[in-house]
Amino acid sequence: NAGVTQTPKFRVLKTGQSMTLLCAQDMNHEYMYWYRQDPGMGLRLIHYSVGEGTTAKGEVPDGYNVSRLKKQNFLLGLESAAPSQTSVYFCASSYSGQQIYGYTFGSGTRLTVV
Amino acid sequence: KQEVTQIPAALSVPEGENLVLNCSFTDSAIYNLQWFRQDPGKGLTSLLLIQSSQREQTSGRLNASLDKSSGRSTLYIAASQPGDSATYLCAVSGGSQGNLIFGKGTKLSVKP
């Protein structure tokens, strides 16, 4: 089925460890986004990309890096995980910035940093 | 800075009731407004997308309205069912990069 796929779905990290979250979409969308969702805070934008080879910072980018080497993939990296990065991470994609056709979200990655 | 507020934070109704969820935003310069549904432990499902030039959108038992000048949107759910129980999120898009600003959601519980 067409959509946005996130891997892994769950992960437990120790403080200081690194990891990469993968987001893949098969809808030929130009725009891709990484959000985090925390209780009482709602969803907040971490980084986004407006096309292959481009990335930009969102509202809460500190401690994260991203790459978009291929149009269909958007990677979110944590170089040195901290307990404050315990969250649920959602990837999303859209056809254009004006989102004429709306957003498509992945099912999320639940990350715990101990 | 755009801020999105959703009222109420939680709502419990008996099955069959019609209900209204509210969303307000501080900056009327938006491209569009979207309503999402989120089930516990799941991702977000897009329900309705209203472009800034539109006043409302309908899908089945759902109707969303947009009053951009007053910074308000409502999601109307007719004849609620237990399967409607979920958290409903409102989000606005105000920039060409397409990022969304989310409210914190309304948690809806529909009792049989």
Side-chain angles (χ1 to χ4, degrees):
Chain A
N1 291 334
V4 176
T5 302
Q6 291 184 234
T7 54
K9 295 189 184 305
F10 304 93
R11 185 74 184 269
V12 178
L13 283 181
K14 294 182 179 179
T15 297
Q17 287 185 321
S18 64
M19 78 163 293
T20 300
L21 283 67
L22 172 63
C23 176
Q25 54 95 3
D26 58 4
M27 297 169 287
N28 202 34
H29 284 173
E30 288 291 338
Y31 290 65
M32 297 186 74
Y33 312 85
W34 277 107
Y35 289 86
R36 60 178 289 174
Q37 185 177 35
D38 302 292
M41 300 294 293
L43 280 93
R44 294 177 292 169
L45 182 68
I46 306 172
H47 284 282
Y48 65 97
S49 168
V50 300
E52 180 178 317
T54 75
T55 63
K57 294 180 180 180
E59 180 185 356
V60 288
D62 294 342
Y64 305 95
N65 57 76
V66 287
S67 65
R68 185 122 180 249
L69 300 179
K70 293 183 179 180
K71 186 177 182 178
Q72 63 268 32
N73 295 335
F74 194 28
L75 278 63
L76 178 70
L78 286 73
E79 291 186 347
S80 179
S84 61
Q85 294 178 304
T86 293
S87 187
V88 181
Y89 292 86
F90 288 102
C91 176
S93 70
S94 66
Y95 181 75
S96 70
Q98 282 74 29
Q99 299 162 40
I100 298 172
Y101 305 110
Y103 255 51
T104 301
F105 274 86
S107 59
T109 295
R110 188 173 296 273
L111 175 66
T112 302
V113 182
V114 297
Chain B
K1 177 184 175 183
Q2 179 74 270
E3 293 183 0
V4 179
T5 303
Q6 291 187 245
I7 295 174
L11 181 64
S12 181
V13 300
E15 181 177 4
E17 273 203 6
N18 302 324
L19 57 99
V20 174
L21 307 182
N22 296 292
C23 173
S24 62
F25 47 96
T26 55
D27 186 349
S28 61
I30 63 171
Y31 278 121
N32 58 53
L33 182 143
Q34 298 183 52
W35 284 93
F36 294 89
R37 168 184 173 139
Q38 186 176 29
D39 294 288
K42 304 292 185 182
L44 281 71
T45 301
S46 180
L47 296 174
L48 290 164
L49 166 67
I50 310 176
Q51 299 294 346
S52 62
S53 58
Q54 297 175 322
R55 296 284 295 184
E56 66 176 347
Q57 282 287 336
T58 298
S59 176
R61 294 182 294 108
L62 304 179
N63 175 275
S65 67
L66 173 64
D67 184 341
K68 206 173 71 163
S69 61
S70 67
R72 295 179 183 176
S73 176
T74 61
L75 179 66
Y76 175 83
I77 302 177
S80 59
Q81 303 171 357
D84 294 330
S85 298
T87 296
Y88 291 81
L89 297 166
C90 167
V92 298
S93 173
S96 60
Q97 66 272 26
N99 62 294
L100 295 177
I101 308 298
F102 283 85
K104 296 180 180 179
T106 293
K107 187 175 182 179
L108 173 65
S109 176
V110 181
K111 305 295 185 184

